[in-house]
């Protein structure tokens, strides 16, 4: 839907709208609650006090300065943000399972909430804990069930009984590794459970929820589509594009869309809902001829949007996108001069307050709103730079403008989380986005006809060919690796400074003034100075990391901006070394075989493995590292060399580690197992 169809003008000042101010205050409150973690009584007290103060100001409004009402309204919004976040904390929920004793086996009842993409070892689910022995409880956990061909995979709303123990989600074991524990915590999951196929009982009857209904509708559609003559890769893309189901997309297709800068096409979110809103707004225009036709049209559009959300499984991204564009549809219905920012702020306020304040910390949510805010702010400015005379060129410039605006909005976030940038995103957008409305509309028609068992083979062939062409185009763009910039180091300070540069640059485009240009140049100078400062500080830095790798060993030695990886298997250490190199802004990396002796800060570290168990002579050993399960008498070695600490990495047998740990405990000697305590890091200047 062209942005010109939305009411209002993006030139209007952002902070003149009450909804924008209240939303910013709510976000501040959520951030305060997230980082300070106040207690529930304190949050309730702050909210009550803010409400009382606002009531007093309102009662004596005419006798007090006018700014006080705005101040205490903002204060109340901040307090509500703190309270909403605090109420989401598991330790503040009286019926949450974590309030009970988790140290022993209990009889749990789980209700499947979401089916995740399986890995090579287990089927994975998000499950609600609804029972714990005879108690009714609440809360979400990560459920892993070992792959078993004789056991049917679970579905949303299925309920199972299991006598087991909950385990906390493990933190990352290597430095700068993706923090899966934090990611799950931000969606309300703190524990997990692992089961074999025979270790649970599937209840024959279970209550039905709207999420289970949505899942079954979507599964029925998928089964119908699988009966048609679609290619395997094409069917995987169709499921992602129309139903939000990415489980059957091949790894190759998934990588190609990411590298081409077109992954937003597969991730069902605001882009798709916005296109559908524009399509429905156009197709249902004849309804306006009826009595109260505009009201009927609004109701039908909203119902259709939420029906599509139901088909897509009511995922978090779809819920927030549909909520946002429901507000947009209402704004179109009112047809009043209001701002795009007003609409977005209102939708953001209600999504964070009513759905989940923790959405604010999810990458998809941040990318979605950053892109939309950038489009409604920057797109009109780009359109003023050039007004083509010819229709086809004008439409092409509109697409380019939207793509540039969206990329400016998400560029810092993408670098911060993914550390790569697709240089050919404009090409992908120009080649795909003009046809995406047709692809979505045609796809919905295919689904409807498939459900009615009336899908002609010719339509299957046409749609399969269209998807195949789209995959081929994306694959061709993704092959231009010279335009894909990977492994870009980008931290929080750079993220903040990047947005400061973008915002100040846009303000210069809106109205050129000496002050605005100076502000822009100051932020650019700060960004450059920070990068130079990082490089200078790194020159004097030296560290050694004994990492955790399953069935492998790896050491990382950093000297300045140079990284040396000691390993016998470079492929096994690639992920660990790459994560470390990106975070530490490494310029040069090399691999070498592991040595058996290192001198660290004047002290000797010795590595014993299954092939070399000889200790160096005439050396005082400070650190002893055990790898590859060496068959040694540790007690005798400790008596002979007297090290300060013993380290065992992830390449050792668990039985050996248990025996070594017991020996060190007996000798009252520190024992560090990387599988439990994470990587061991030496840092010195």
């Amino acid at each position: 839907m062209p942005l010109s169809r939305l009411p209002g003008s993006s030139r209007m000042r952002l902070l003149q709208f009450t909804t924008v101010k209240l939303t910013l205050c709510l976000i501040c409150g959520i951030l305060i609650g997230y980082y300070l973690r106040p207690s529930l009584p304190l949050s309730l007290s702050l909210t009550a006090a803010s409400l009382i103060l606002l009531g007093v100001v309102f009662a004596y409004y005419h006798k007090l300065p006018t700014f006080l009402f705005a101040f205490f309204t903002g204060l109340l919004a901040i307090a509500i943000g703190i309270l909403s976040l605090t109420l989401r904390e598991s330790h503040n929920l009286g019926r949450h399972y974590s309030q009970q004793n988790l140290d022993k086996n209990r009889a749990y009842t789980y209700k499947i909430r979401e089916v995740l993409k399986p890995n090579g070892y287990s089927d994975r689910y998000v499950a609600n804990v609804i029972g714990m022995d005879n108690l009714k409880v609440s809360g979400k956990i990560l459920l892993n069930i070992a792959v078993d061909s004789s056991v049917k995979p679970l579905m949303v709303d299925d309920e199972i009984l299991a006598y087991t123990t909950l385990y906390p989600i493990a933190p990352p074991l290597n430095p700068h590794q993706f923090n899966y524990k934090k990611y799950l915590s931000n969606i309300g999951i703190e524990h997990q459970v692992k089961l074999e196929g025979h270790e649970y009982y599937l209840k024959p009857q279970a209550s039905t929820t709207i999420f289970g209904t949505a899942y079954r509708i979507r599964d029925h559609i998928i089964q119908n589509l699988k009966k048609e003559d679609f290619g395997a890769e094409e069917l995987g893309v169709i499921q992602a594009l129309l139903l939000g189901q990415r489980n059957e997309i091949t790894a190759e297709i998934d990588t190609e869309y990411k590298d081409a800068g077109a992954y937003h096409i597969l991730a069902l979110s605001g882009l798709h809902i916005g296109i559908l809103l524009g399509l429905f707004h156009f197709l249902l225009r004849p309804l306006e001829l009826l009595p109260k036709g505009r009201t009927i049209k609004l109701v039908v559009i909203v119902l259709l949007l939420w029906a599509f959300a139901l088909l897509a499984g009511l995922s978090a991204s779809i819920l927030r996108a549909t909520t946002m564009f429901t507000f947009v549809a209402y704004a179109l219905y009112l047809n009043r001069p209001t701002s795009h920012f007003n609409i977005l702020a209102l939708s953001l306020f209600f999504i964070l307050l009513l759905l989940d304040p923790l959405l604010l910390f999810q990458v998809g949510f941040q990318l979605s709103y950053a892109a939309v805010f950038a489009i409604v702010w920057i797109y009109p400015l780009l359109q003023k730079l050039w007004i083509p005379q010819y229709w086809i060129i004008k439409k092409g410039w509109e697409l380019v403008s939207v793509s540039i605006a969206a990329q400016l909005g998400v560029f810092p976030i993408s670098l911060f989380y993914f550390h790569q940038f697709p240089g050919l995103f404009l090409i992908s957008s120009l080649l795909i986005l003009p046809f995406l409305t047709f692809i979505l509309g045609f796809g919905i028609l295919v689904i409807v006809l498939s459900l009615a068992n009336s899908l002609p083979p010719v339509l299957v062939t046409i749609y399969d060919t269209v998807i195949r062409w789209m995959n081929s185009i994306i694959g061709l763009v993704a092959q231009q690796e010279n335009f894909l910039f990977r492994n870009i180091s980008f931290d929080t300070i750079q993220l903040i400074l990047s947005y400061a540069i973008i915002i100040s640059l846009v303000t210069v485009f809106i109205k050129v003034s000496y002050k605005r240009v100076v502000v822009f140049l100051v932020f650019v100078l700060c960004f450059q100075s920070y990068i130079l400062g990082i490089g200078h500080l790194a020159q004097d830095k030296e560290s050694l990391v004994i990492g955790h790798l399953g069935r492998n060993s790896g050491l990382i030695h950093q000297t300045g901006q140079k990284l040396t990886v000691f390993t016998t298997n470079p492929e096994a250490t690639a992920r660990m070394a790459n994560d470390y190199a990106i975070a530490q802004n490494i310029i040069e990396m090399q691999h070498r075989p592991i040595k058996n002796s290192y001198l660290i800060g004047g002290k000797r570290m010795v590595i014993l493995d299954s092939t070399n168990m000889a200790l160096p002579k005439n050396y005082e050993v400070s650190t002893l590292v055990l790898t590859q399960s060496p068959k040694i008498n540790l007690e005798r070695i400790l008596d002979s060399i007297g090290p300060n600490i013993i380290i065992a990495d992830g390449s050792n047998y668990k039985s050996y580690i248990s025996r070594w740990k017991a020996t060190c405990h007996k000798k009252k000697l520190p024992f560090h197992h990387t599988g439990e305590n994470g990587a061991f890091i030496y840092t010195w200047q």
Side-chain angles (χ1 to χ4, degrees):
M1 179 177 58
L3 290 174
S4 58
R5 298 301 306 275
L6 289 173
S9 170
S10 62
R11 292 178 296 178
M12 305 175 82
R13 293 174 58 193
L14 177 61
L15 293 178
Q16 73 178 11
F17 299 104
T18 302
T19 52
V20 174
K21 297 175 184 177
L22 289 176
T23 302
L24 290 176
C25 289
L26 181 72
I27 291 173
C28 287
I30 293 172
L31 291 173
I32 292 171
Y34 183 79
Y35 289 106
L36 298 185
R37 306 287 179 174
S39 64
L40 183 58
L42 178 59
S43 300
L44 287 171
S45 300
L46 287 174
T47 305
S50 302
L51 186 60
I52 292 171
L53 288 172
L54 181 62
V56 171
V57 171
F58 181 76
Y60 297 96
Y61 182 74
H62 298 290
K63 300 178 182 180
L64 296 172
T66 54
F67 78 90
L68 283 178
F69 184 79
F71 174 77
F72 284 112
T73 301
L75 191 63
L76 178 61
I78 292 174
I80 291 174
I82 295 174
L83 179 62
S84 65
L85 193 283
T86 306
L87 288 173
R88 294 290 301 182
E89 295 293 309
S90 60
H91 59 269
N92 291 322
L93 301 175
R95 292 181 54 197
H96 198 271
Y97 68 83
S98 61
Q99 302 296 319
Q100 309 300 321
N101 181 14
L102 303 180
D103 294 335
K104 61 179 182 178
N105 282 3
R106 308 286 289 267
Y108 289 94
T109 303
Y110 304 117
K111 189 176 186 67
I112 305 301
R113 170 62 180 82
E114 184 180 352
V115 179
L116 303 177
K117 189 171 184 177
N119 55 34
Y121 307 99
S122 60
D123 294 321
R124 302 165 62 245
Y125 309 89
V126 173
N128 292 327
V129 185
I130 60 175
M132 191 173 180
D133 292 334
N134 295 322
L135 299 174
K136 289 185 177 180
V137 294
S138 62
K140 294 191 294 184
I141 55 105
L142 181 65
L143 174 63
N144 301 276
I145 299 180
V147 173
D148 188 343
S149 59
S150 64
V151 178
K152 184 179 179 182
L154 300 175
M155 301 176 67
V156 175
D157 275 356
D158 282 348
E159 294 182 9
I160 64 172
L161 300 175
Y163 187 71
T164 185
T165 303
L166 298 183
Y167 298 95
I169 306 295
L173 295 174
N174 292 312
H176 312 300
Q177 183 181 347
F178 172 67
N179 195 334
Y180 193 52
K181 176 183 175 67
K182 183 178 180 181
Y183 166 77
L184 290 178
S185 179
N186 285 342
I187 58 176
I189 299 176
E190 302 288 350
H191 292 81
Q192 65 177 330
V193 63
K194 298 181 180 180
L195 299 173
E196 298 290 335
H198 63 276
E199 292 180 336
Y200 67 88
Y201 168 73
L202 177 63
K203 296 177 68 173
Q205 293 183 339
S207 59
T208 302
T209 66
I210 189 172
F211 299 104
T213 301
Y215 178 85
R216 282 165 175 77
I217 292 173
R218 185 173 62 179
D219 186 65
H220 179 64
I221 293 171
I222 291 173
Q223 297 307 319
N224 278 17
L225 291 176
K226 286 183 176 180
K227 296 176 183 177
E228 308 296 341
D229 194 22
F230 289 109
E233 290 186 346
E234 289 71 28
L235 184 58
V237 172
I238 291 171
Q239 292 180 40
L241 193 65
L242 300 173
L243 302 171
Q245 184 72 21
R246 300 200 297 268
N247 291 355
E248 296 190 27
I249 292 181
T250 63
E252 181 181 359
I253 292 292
D254 190 75
T255 301
E256 287 179 350
Y257 273 82
K258 288 178 181 177
D259 292 347
Y263 199 69
H264 56 283
I265 293 174
L266 296 183
L268 200 56
S269 59
L271 171 66
H272 305 77
I273 302 297
I275 289 174
L276 289 178
L277 174 59
L279 183 62
F280 295 152
H281 188 72
F282 172 76
L283 294 177
L284 298 176
R285 187 171 295 173
L287 290 177
E288 296 181 5
L289 301 175
L290 300 174
K292 295 192 176 183
R294 296 185 70 251
T295 302
I296 296 173
K297 178 183 174 182
L298 171 65
V299 173
V300 173
I301 287 176
V302 171
L303 289 176
L304 288 174
L305 288 179
W306 282 99
F308 181 79
L310 183 67
L311 291 180
L314 294 175
S315 65
S317 61
I318 289 298
L319 282 174
R320 65 174 181 257
T322 308
T323 302
M324 180 175 71
F325 281 99
T326 298
F327 280 92
V328 174
Y330 183 64
L332 289 169
Y333 165 75
L334 292 177
N335 197 25
R336 294 177 182 172
T338 183
S339 170
H340 310 153
F341 295 112
N342 207 12
I343 299 167
L344 292 174
L346 194 61
S347 67
L348 181 58
F349 185 90
F350 280 97
I351 287 172
L352 291 176
L353 188 60
L354 299 180
L355 291 183
D356 188 358
L358 288 173
L359 285 172
L360 186 63
F361 306 98
Q362 294 186 20
V363 180
F365 182 86
Q366 296 170 11
L367 289 172
S368 178
Y369 267 93
V372 176
F373 269 100
I375 288 171
V376 300
W377 192 28
I378 300 173
Y379 170 82
L381 301 176
L382 294 175
Q383 286 295 288
K384 290 178 183 178
L385 292 178
W386 181 38
I387 304 177
Q389 295 181 350
Y390 300 102
W391 180 86
I392 186 67
I393 299 178
K394 181 180 179 182
K395 293 301 177 184
W397 174 235
E398 285 181 357
L399 283 173
V400 171
S401 299
V402 169
S403 297
I404 292 175
Q407 284 295 334
L408 281 174
V410 304
F411 176 70
I413 297 177
S414 298
L415 289 183
F416 180 72
Y417 286 111
F418 308 118
H419 304 288
Q420 71 175 37
F421 177 71
L424 296 179
F425 70 90
L426 274 178
I427 304 298
S428 302
S429 298
L430 286 173
L431 294 175
I432 301 299
L433 290 184
F435 309 102
L436 195 55
T437 301
F438 165 77
I439 292 172
L440 286 176
F442 202 127
I444 292 174
L445 176 63
V446 166
I447 286 176
V448 172
L449 293 176
S450 175
L451 289 174
N453 295 319
S454 303
L455 181 58
V458 64
L459 291 185
V460 174
T461 302
I462 293 173
Y463 198 56
D464 186 76
T465 303
V466 169
I467 299 299
R468 187 181 301 112
W469 284 351
M470 182 174 74
N471 290 346
S472 300
I473 291 170
I474 294 298
L476 184 62
V477 174
Q479 289 174 11
Q480 315 308 313
E481 294 188 359
N482 291 333
F483 296 93
L484 179 62
F485 307 99
R486 303 177 188 265
N487 302 333
I488 302 173
S489 180
F490 208 78
D491 60 20
T492 304
I493 302 298
Q494 290 170 301
L495 173 71
I496 296 171
L497 289 175
S498 294
Y499 273 118
I501 291 172
I502 292 171
I503 292 171
S504 59
L505 177 62
V506 174
T507 59
V508 169
F509 270 100
I510 294 174
K511 183 180 179 180
V512 179
S513 68
Y514 174 77
K515 184 184 293 186
R516 294 185 179 187
V517 172
V518 169
V519 170
F520 167 70
L521 293 177
V522 166
F523 282 129
V524 172
L525 183 62
C526 289
F527 188 87
Q528 292 176 329
S529 300
Y530 182 75
I531 293 177
L532 291 174
I534 291 176
H536 177 72
L537 292 175
Q539 297 303 319
D540 299 325
K541 185 174 183 179
E542 185 175 4
S543 62
L544 180 71
V545 177
I546 303 172
H548 176 77
L549 298 168
R551 298 184 296 275
N552 285 280
S553 300
L555 283 74
I556 297 176
H557 183 214
Q558 178 187 357
T559 53
Q561 291 182 288
K562 178 182 177 181
L563 201 68
T564 304
V565 183
F566 295 95
T567 180
T568 55
N569 187 354
E571 291 185 2
T573 59
R575 182 66 179 271
M576 179 182 70
N578 194 54
D579 290 343
Y580 190 91
I582 292 173
Q584 296 295 326
N585 200 22
I586 297 299
I587 296 176
E588 180 184 353
M589 184 191 301
Q590 62 181 356
H591 291 80
R592 290 184 179 178
I594 293 180
K595 298 187 299 182
N596 288 99
S597 180
Y598 297 86
L599 193 63
I600 302 175
K603 296 183 178 181
R604 181 68 54 180
M605 181 180 76
V606 172
I607 298 178
L608 297 185
D609 58 30
S610 57
T611 60
N612 190 341
M613 294 176 283
L615 291 171
K617 296 181 180 179
N618 303 321
Y619 280 136
E620 181 180 349
V621 178
S622 174
T623 302
L624 181 63
V625 181
L626 305 175
T627 71
Q628 305 298 327
S629 304
K631 297 180 179 180
I632 57 174
N633 187 323
L634 183 59
E635 187 169 358
R636 184 182 302 168
I637 291 176
L638 296 182
D639 291 336
S640 63
I641 64 174
N644 296 325
I645 187 172
I646 306 299
I647 302 172
D649 67 11
S651 65
N652 297 289
Y653 297 136
K654 291 183 179 180
S655 58
Y656 283 33
I657 292 172
S658 298
R659 187 168 66 248
W660 296 335
K661 186 176 182 179
T663 300
C664 290
H665 180 73
K666 178 182 177 182
K667 294 286 186 179
K668 296 182 180 181
L669 189 66
F671 180 81
H672 185 100
H673 175 215
T674 60
E676 296 178 359
N677 311 113
F680 193 88
I681 304 175
Y682 287 101
T683 302
W684 65 96
Q685 295 300 119

